[in-house]
Amino acid sequence: MSTTIDTLRFATAGSVDDGKSTLVGRLLHDSKSILTDQLEAVERASASRGQDAPDLALLTDGLRAEREQGITIDVAYRYFATPRRRFILADTPGHVQYTRNMVTGASTAELAIILIDARNGVVEQTRRHAAVAALLRVPHVVLAVNKMDLVGYEEKDFERIVEDFAGHAAELGLPGFTPIPVSALVGDNVVDRSAHMDWYEGPALLEFLENVPVGSGPADAPARFPVQYVIRDGEVRYYAGQLVSGSLKVGDRVTVHPSGETSEITAIDVLGTEADVAHAPQSIGIRLADERDISRGDMITACVDAPTLTREVRAAVCHLADRPLRVGDRVLVRHTTRTVKALVQDLAGATELTANDLGRITLRTAEPLALDDYAVSRRTGAFILIDPADGATLTAGMAEL
């Protein structure tokens, strides 16, 4: 009998020189997720620098150097697996000017590792990383207090940092976090539990990653089917796209948004094969019993648990572009497959948002959007703002209904 191994998507974030590269390298090395030729290359590079042991930070520093040279590598993704679980790791930059990159990496993550240097404690960038995790409603947060070897593995130093971070987490509305004392350089509590910190009774980092509950998948959420295009075959119309959440089956009563018209599903096509039921995130085509005026940008949902149809959008945002966003700006809102015109009505007291700023916004859209609260659905609660003049992406938004 086959055993299904699930996948955990997680992101790492930490200030510059807190040891994030070494932590990622140690995690990959000690979990035996590095190819022999990769390790040999690291050993050669380390030896050429006069180092006695392999510098595991070199496994990721090459990509980081490329980012700082302006090459378009926003987030470095790593893929590895253990017998218990598969992992997709989004390694995000640490500089404050790359906050928007962390937003990109953490937007689909179920867990975020926030790294802290035990000598420095909670710094401004730590608070920013915690704010992003709270903003994106990341379900699980690990506070990895690194370089414990440089503070003598003292429990009091660890507890002081945890207490300080807990205060900021409470202010941000972060529901909870798991603190783990580590030394990425030595390997303490990364893959194997440390013999140097017998006062710590919790799991090593990899042990926690292997066992943390993976949240309910998109198939467990209410049915949401944004229409990408319409396929016409004579008199028959199929509405095609990706079922981004929930399930739909033949015979279901559905509502079309924003028109509000209802109908019944008479057929479902999955990769050219007729099916009785479809589950997110399958790409499908559906046929309805009634002739309806449906086009790209419309959303088909189950009649029960329908999304909120609104023209006034309140949201938490991270501004991504170099050009500021100001009250009165005219923008385009892209939500799933729908793009509508909108006006920036309010920025929660701010006069403008500049690159990497976090804030809150109120928009007035020209046409209604079928939104879900981001806390309920990260897929249909998210949107981006676009510059109508040149199509550039301006801002990432998370709806608050």
Side-chain angles (χ1 to χ4, degrees), residues 24 112 149 315 356:
V24 173
D149 54 312
N356 298 297

Side-chain angles (χ1 to χ4, degrees), residues 223-227 239 254-256 286 288 294 298-302:
R224 302 287 185 262
F225 180 61
V227 176
Y239 306 104
V254 294
T255 303
V256 181
I286 66 174
L288 301 181
I294 299 173
D298 289 341
M299 184 182 291
I300 297 173
T301 74

Side-chain angles (χ1 to χ4, degrees), residues 29-51:
H29 177 271
D30 288 9
S31 64
K32 299 178 173 56
S33 301
I34 301 174
L35 299 176
T36 301
D37 58 342
Q38 290 177 303
L39 183 57
E40 289 175 349
V42 168
E43 290 172 340
R44 288 194 300 271
S46 302
S48 69
R49 297 182 177 187
Q51 296 170 302

